[in-house]
């Protein structure tokens, strides 16, 4: 085709006067809910707190004879796992986006869809699935809870964390809150073991252990109950951003692990002996008590 002079200009003029073809937009652009600088710095700060507390707890453990180290070791493992999980989250691991589609109905026009991508810090759930059973072990052994009750508390606790993880990845609100409901029921089983069975078991112990268990188990139950509330506002309802979520969990985690740990270990070290049979088991294993018979070397 031969291009005559002026044809290009004429074509440009003609096309520029054509209005853009109207498009029907079924919904707004996706919303991304991700962490900012404040959140990231908070994660690093907690990572350092967990590292330093772990070192302190291992140090306190080595100042005790083996039979008295059980609580120190449990507590040091708790902050070690927390350190690893905070290191993962602060450096960008253990995080993924969860897509939720919200359908909005309108009076005279068809329904529209709003897509929300929100970060889920799944490393938290990995941490909780290991550290909350260890925290429960600290309390259960302090109270002298039976093996049967300890097992129920730990299984319920693991169910709580895993169903909580499924809730965080729920595709729609029905699925999300359904999982949340199972997690809350499991949590109530944990509360029952600590508040009812734990209290009745510790009643047969000395007055110092009784008072201490009442205080530290009460502190734990209040603190733990705040977690599902934060979850409901942040992950569940998406009412607050990621930075607020990170800061809230950071405060709770520092109280539930290092503060809990220092309180437990300083009090434990100032007591004579919380449980001689437990100490015997920790240094010599099961069945070591009373196995020394007359005639043995
Ligand atoms: C979830 C959401 C689903 C409902 C419930 C929850 C409870 C979580 C708890 C977490 C405790 C964590 C601790 C961490 C220590 O650093 C999973 C948030 C009931 C009780 C003590």
């Amino acid at each position: 085709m031969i291009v005559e002079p002026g044809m290009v200009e004429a074509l440009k003029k003609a096309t520029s006067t054509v209005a853009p073809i109207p498009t029907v937009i079924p919904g707004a652009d996706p919303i991304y809910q991700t962490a900012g600088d404040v959140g990231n710095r908070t994660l690093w700060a907690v990572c350092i707190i967990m590292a330093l507390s772990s070192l302190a707890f291992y140090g306190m453990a080595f100042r005790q004879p083996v039979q008295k180290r059980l609580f120190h070791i449990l507590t040091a493992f708790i902050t070690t796992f927390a350190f690893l999980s905070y290191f993962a989250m602060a450096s960008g691991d253990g995080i993924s986006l969860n897509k939720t589609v919200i359908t909005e109905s309108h009076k005279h026009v068809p329904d529209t869809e709003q897509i929300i991508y929100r970060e889920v810090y799944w490393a938290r759930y990995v941490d909780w699935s290991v550290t909350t059973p260890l925290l429960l072990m600290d309390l259960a052994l302090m109270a002298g809870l039976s093996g049967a009750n300890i097992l129920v508390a730990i299984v319920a606790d693991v169910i709580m964390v895993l169903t909580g993880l499924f809730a965080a990845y729920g595709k729609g609100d029905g699925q999300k809150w359904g999982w949340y409901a199972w997690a809350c029921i499991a949590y109530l089983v944990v509360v029952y073991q600590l508040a009812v069975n734990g209290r009745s078991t510790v009643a047969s112990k000395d007055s110092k252990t009784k008072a201490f268990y009442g205080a530290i188990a009460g502190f734990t139950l209040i603190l733990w109950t705040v977690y599902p509330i934060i979850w409901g506002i942040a992950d569940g309802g998406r009412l607050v951003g990621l930075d607020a979520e990170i800061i809230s969990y950071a405060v709770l985690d520092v109280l539930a692990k290092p503060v809990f740990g220092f309180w437990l270990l300083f009090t434990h070290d100032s007591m004579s002996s919380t449980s001689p049979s437990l100490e015997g088991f920790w240094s010599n294993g099961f069945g070591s008590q009373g196995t020394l018979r007359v005639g043995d070397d």
Side-chain angles (χ1 to χ4, degrees):
M1 181 184 152
I2 299 160
V3 180
E4 299 289 340
M7 260 176 86
V8 175
E9 278 67 33
L11 198 64
K12 269 190 192 160
K13 213 173 150 197
T15 49
S16 65
T17 55
V18 176
I21 299 160
T23 47
V24 178
I25 303 166
D29 286 341
I31 296 172
Y32 284 85
Q33 298 186 334
T34 54
D37 262 2
V38 176
N40 194 250
R41 264 184 258 133
T42 309
L43 291 171
W44 279 119
V46 179
C47 178
I48 294 168
I49 295 174
M50 295 298 179
L52 296 178
S53 329
S54 305
L55 292 177
F57 295 150
Y58 287 117
M60 288 171 81
F62 288 114
R63 286 170 47 182
Q64 297 287 332
V66 176
Q67 67 268 26
K68 290 193 183 292
R69 277 183 201 164
L70 171 55
F71 290 97
H72 302 71
I73 293 297
L74 284 174
T75 311
F77 284 168
I78 292 167
T79 47
T80 304
F81 274 105
F83 158 71
L84 293 172
S85 114
Y86 267 92
F87 179 80
M89 297 188 287
S91 63
D93 270 335
I95 309 164
S96 76
L97 287 174
N98 177 41
K99 178 183 177 186
T100 313
V101 180
I102 296 172
T103 308
E104 289 156 354
S105 315
H106 307 283
K107 268 194 181 144
H108 306 294
V109 285
D111 290 356
T112 55
E113 279 184 348
Q114 175 65 66
I115 297 175
I116 302 176
Y117 290 101
R118 187 182 171 98
E119 279 179 337
V120 173
Y121 282 66
W122 55 262
R124 279 189 203 294
Y125 297 84
V126 178
D127 168 347
W128 294 348
S129 66
V130 180
T131 57
T132 53
L134 294 178
L135 285 162
L136 288 179
M137 285 298 289
D138 263 342
L139 293 171
L141 296 176
M142 168 74 50
L145 211 61
S146 71
N149 286 336
I150 294 178
L151 185 67
V152 171
I154 287 179
V155 169
D157 179 84
V158 172
I159 291 177
M160 173 190 85
V161 176
L162 295 184
T163 49
L165 176 63
F166 276 91
Y169 280 102
K171 286 188 204 74
D173 279 348
Q175 193 183 44
K176 186 181 275 278
W177 294 108
W179 283 120
Y180 182 82
W182 304 135
C184 288
I185 293 170
Y187 177 54
L188 291 178
V189 175
V190 175
V191 173
Y192 180 81
Q193 293 302 333
L194 292 183
V196 180
N197 291 339
R199 254 168 60 123
S200 70
T201 317
V202 83
S204 60
K205 297 222 165 193
D206 61 290
S207 59
K208 200 169 175 195
T209 309
K210 248 189 294 193
F212 178 56
Y213 179 77
I216 201 160
F219 169 79
T220 300
L221 289 181
I222 293 170
L223 212 57
W224 283 37
T225 306
V226 185
Y227 280 86
I229 298 173
I230 304 275
W231 193 98
I233 297 168
D235 248 318
R238 296 175 296 269
L239 302 175
V240 295
L242 257 299
D243 283 355
E245 177 185 315
I246 290 172
I247 294 169
S248 315
Y249 281 137
V251 173
L252 290 179
D253 287 349
V254 170
L255 291 173
K257 285 170 172 153
V259 171
F260 169 96
F262 279 114
W263 185 15
L264 181 93
L265 296 184
F266 280 130
T267 313
H268 174 270
D269 291 355
S270 72
M271 286 173 164
S272 49
S273 167
T274 46
S275 169
S277 59
L278 198 62
E279 291 179 359
F281 159 69
W282 196 242
S283 52
N284 298 311
F286 275 130
S288 57
Q289 297 94 346
T291 50
L292 193 67
R293 285 177 300 275
V294 178
D296 277 359
D297 288 337

